[in-house]
Amino acid sequence: MIPTAARLLILGSTSPYRRELLARLGLPFTTEAPRVDETPQPGESPRDLALRLALAKARDVAGRHPEAIVIGSDQVADLAGEPLGKPGTHERAVAQLQRMRGQTVIFQTALAVVCAATGFAQSDLAAVEVRFRDLGNDEIERYLQAERPYDCAGSAKSEGLGIALLEAIHNDDPTALVGLPLIRTARLLRAAGLTLP
C-alpha cells in the first residue's frame, strides 16, 4: 500500500472556481473531469442531490485512480425545496434571478473525499443562506451582461459583481458559496491522512 503522504490528490472537477479555491491549501493536486449524470432523481431534495453528486464524482474519479485521494464537490441552489442548477443560457439565468429576487435561497455545497485503496469515503455539506435583493429586470439584465454567470448554480457570482445582488449571506465557511467549502475540505483531507502545510 502507498503511504498517504505519497498519494496523488485529485480534484474531481473541471470548475476553475474549485481549482482556485483548492490551490489555497498549498497542496499539489491535479484535476480530472468526473463522468457523472447530474440529472436529479424524482423527488430528490436539493441537499440530497448535492451530496449524491459530490460522492458520485469522487467515486467515479477514484475508480480510475484507486491509489489517489479524490475530492468531489457539487452545489445546488435550493429555492423553497426546488433545485436550481447552472442556467447555461442567458434566458434561463434571467428566469432564475427573477424567481430568486426578494427570496432567501439556500446554496447546498457538498463535498466528498474518497480513496478507493484505503476504503476512505466521507462527505460533508455546507448550507449557505443567501437573501437576494428585490431586483428589477434592468438590474438583472445589466448584471448578466457584465458577468455572464451561466456556469454558476443560481446565476450569481458572490465573489464578483453578483455580491451587489444580495442583501445578506449567512454561513460558517466563507468559501462554500464559491463552490468548495475549504474548512470542511481541510477537515476531510486530514481525516483521509493528508498533512496540510
Side-chain angles (χ1 to χ4, degrees):
M1 186 181 334
I2 297 172
T4 303
R7 290 189 192 284
L8 178 64
L9 177 61
I10 302 174
L11 174 61
S13 175
T14 58
S15 165
Y17 314 110
R18 289 190 179 106
R19 187 172 55 245
E20 288 174 20
L21 288 170
L22 185 57
R24 290 187 193 180
L25 295 182
L27 296 168
F29 68 94
T30 63
T31 61
E32 184 165 330
R35 298 180 297 223
V36 172
D37 179 2
E38 298 190 25
T39 306
Q41 296 177 350
E44 189 173 33
S45 72
R47 177 188 188 281
D48 291 344
L49 173 61
L51 282 165
R52 177 177 62 82
L53 291 178
L55 189 56
K57 290 174 181 182
R59 284 185 170 150
D60 175 70
V61 175
R64 294 190 297 277
H65 304 278
E67 296 294 335
I69 295 174
V70 180
I71 300 169
S73 186
D74 196 77
Q75 183 178 74
V76 179
D78 178 346
L79 179 60
E82 180 186 345
L84 302 177
K86 299 171 186 170
T89 67
H90 182 82
E91 294 73 26
R92 287 200 291 261
V94 168
Q96 279 189 357
L97 288 172
Q98 286 175 338
R99 290 188 59 215
M100 293 187 302
R101 60 181 159 202
Q103 302 293 317
T104 296
V105 179
I106 309 298
F107 284 80
Q108 307 281 4
T109 306
L111 81 134
V113 173
V114 170
C115 180
T118 64
F120 183 87
Q122 288 187 17
S123 57
D124 204 346
L125 180 91
V128 181
E129 184 179 294
V130 177
R131 193 167 67 247
F132 281 79
R133 292 178 37 252
D134 190 7
L135 304 167
N137 289 337
D138 58 332
E139 289 180 284
I140 291 171
E141 187 62 32
R142 282 195 313 271
Y143 169 67
L144 292 176
Q145 290 299 329
E147 198 150 65
R148 302 184 182 280
Y150 309 134
D151 62 344
C152 296
S155 305
K157 292 182 183 180
S158 66
E159 69 275 23
L161 183 58
I163 198 75
L165 306 179
L166 310 179
E167 287 286 344
I169 299 173
H170 300 285
N171 71 339
D172 64 357
D173 195 329
T175 57
L177 189 54
V178 182
L180 186 66
L182 286 183
I183 293 171
R184 287 168 172 80
T185 300
R187 182 185 312 138
L188 291 187
L189 291 177
R190 285 192 297 270
L194 285 182
T195 301
L196 275 65

